[in-house]
Amino acid sequence: MTPDQYCQDKAAASGSSFYYSFRFLPEARRRAITALYAFCREVDDVVDECHDEGVARSKLAWWRAELTRLYAGEPQHPVTQALLPHVAAYELPQKLLAEIIDGMEMDLDYARYDRFADLLLYCHRAAGVVGQLSARIFGYTDSHTLQYAHELGVAFQLTNIIRDVGEDARRGRIYLPVEELRRFNVPASDIQNYRETEAFRQLMDFQIERAEQYYRQAWEQLPKSDVKAQRPGLLMAAIYRATLAEIKLDGPQKVLNQRLSLTPIRKLWLAWKTWVFGYQP
């Protein structure tokens, strides 16, 4: 198996919205973004699938060392071998890839976040910098596009947090800020015991509106000159916002006991529709 095939299989197996947006890219950019996505999946899986914290930290340390080898031109892992030709071609900074690992390590350091500002740092590392790296691969002419991509990445992460509240609680994590749980009178025990209360519904309505605000902010910052190049990110935005709309329609309190996801057919249709007719904010 070639490094590119390894990354392709990793992306396809995930069923992620990212995978559907890749399909519309020219081959070189598609290989680059697929390798980036596979890198994100590899380091994320370290935390999600390794139940021994010490082993997880050791594996993340290995990935930090692997980034050093990558930028020295001597990667060992299939994912970094696939990334190698693209780090120079698309000017992908090592610092941003390292921040993704920092974000994954935060899952070992924190099970709760006191304030939204604290959660925002996690969103920046886990998704905002991924947005910026992706924007570089898609192509841009205006530096404001990198800020758009960061805000869009944060919006994606906030959407994931909303969608996965119940699943994360089963892993012992509550990403919703403690300060906001108190404001809406939602005890952590309600989330840990999957109680679908009216107070929790109001809390989730607030979370959904904030995520939507980040989508709006992102769109407002995207220069018109780069809209065409950044269509893959906008495809993902269409899919993620459709997911958010379904959660709101279904009853946002239900995220405690079910994980809503769009069918592959609908994701592909939304991606095609956005590619052909443009993004509808």
Side-chain angles (χ1 to χ4, degrees):
M1 181 183 294
T2 66
D4 282 334
Q5 187 59 54
Y6 180 96
C7 294
Q8 176 68 22
D9 290 352
K10 190 85 176 176
S14 73
S16 167
S17 304
F18 287 76
Y19 176 67
Y20 292 90
S21 70
F22 302 166
R23 298 164 70 96
F24 295 86
L25 283 167
E27 184 180 351
R29 295 184 193 274
R30 186 171 67 248
R31 288 201 310 270
I33 195 67
T34 302
L36 173 63
Y37 177 74
F39 171 81
C40 295
R41 287 260 39 96
E42 289 285 348
V43 295
D44 189 46
D45 288 348
V46 168
V47 176
D48 284 346
E49 297 178 2
C50 185
H51 301 295
D52 184 311
E53 181 183 326
V55 172
R57 289 187 187 278
S58 294
K59 288 185 175 182
L60 290 179
W62 185 90
W63 276 105
R64 292 185 195 282
E66 179 67 356
L67 281 184
T68 300
R69 289 188 288 270
L70 167 63
Y71 281 83
E74 301 174 345
Q76 297 177 1
H77 195 279
V79 164
T80 40
Q81 289 171 355
L83 265 175
L84 181 59
H86 307 299
V87 292
Y90 300 110
E91 299 181 345
L92 307 180
Q94 182 177 350
K95 178 180 180 295
L96 294 189
L97 288 166
E99 281 205 80
I100 297 171
I101 300 175
D102 292 339
M104 299 308 102
E105 194 155 33
M106 286 179 76
D107 276 335
L108 301 176
D109 295 331
Y110 305 99
R112 304 285 302 277
Y113 291 91
D114 289 334
R115 302 169 303 140
F116 180 65
D118 303 322
L119 178 63
L120 200 53
L121 175 60
Y122 173 75
C123 293
H124 158 74
R125 289 173 170 173
V129 295
V130 179
Q132 292 177 319
L133 288 163
S134 300
R136 288 171 178 269
I137 292 171
F138 300 151
Y140 71 102
T141 58
D142 189 319
S143 61
H144 289 94
T145 296
L146 297 179
Q147 186 57 35
Y148 139 82
H150 181 273
E151 298 294 286
L152 190 61
V154 171
F156 290 162
Q157 190 63 35
L158 292 175
T159 302
N160 286 342
I161 288 170
I162 291 165
R163 182 195 63 196
D164 297 339
V165 171
E167 185 176 309
D168 289 332
R170 283 180 272 281
R171 290 176 172 166
R173 297 182 197 142
I174 300 177
Y175 288 100
L176 306 177
V178 172
E179 182 180 84
E180 293 171 8
L181 266 64
R182 289 175 180 158
R183 189 192 317 167
F184 286 90
N185 297 312
V186 177
S189 59
D190 277 4
I191 295 175
Q192 291 160 341
N193 291 291
Y194 320 117
R195 298 191 187 107
E196 299 179 14
T197 66
E198 175 60 19
F200 180 74
R201 185 194 65 76
Q202 293 176 7
L203 170 66
M204 295 311 292
D205 280 340
F206 174 78
Q207 304 298 321
I208 289 170
E209 175 50 36
R210 180 164 56 202
E212 284 286 2
Q213 181 183 342
Y214 270 86
Y215 284 110
R216 290 192 293 269
Q217 287 173 191
W219 174 250
E220 289 166 4
Q221 293 184 68
L222 177 58
K224 287 186 175 16
S225 59
D226 284 341
V227 168
K228 184 175 180 180
Q230 294 298 314
R231 280 187 299 180
L234 297 173
L235 264 59
M236 289 184 274
I239 294 170
Y240 269 75
R241 290 189 74 184
T243 301
L244 210 53
E246 288 291 332
I247 290 171
K248 189 168 185 176
L249 184 65
D250 197 42
Q253 69 277 15
K254 293 183 181 179
V255 294
L256 284 172
N257 293 293
Q258 65 185 36
R259 186 183 189 274
L260 188 147
S261 62
L262 305 181
T263 65
I265 292 287
R266 188 170 178 200
K267 287 180 180 179
L268 192 57
W269 179 79
L270 283 167
W272 176 83
K273 177 183 172 186
T274 305
W275 187 268
V276 174
F277 298 106
Y279 178 68
Q280 303 298 320

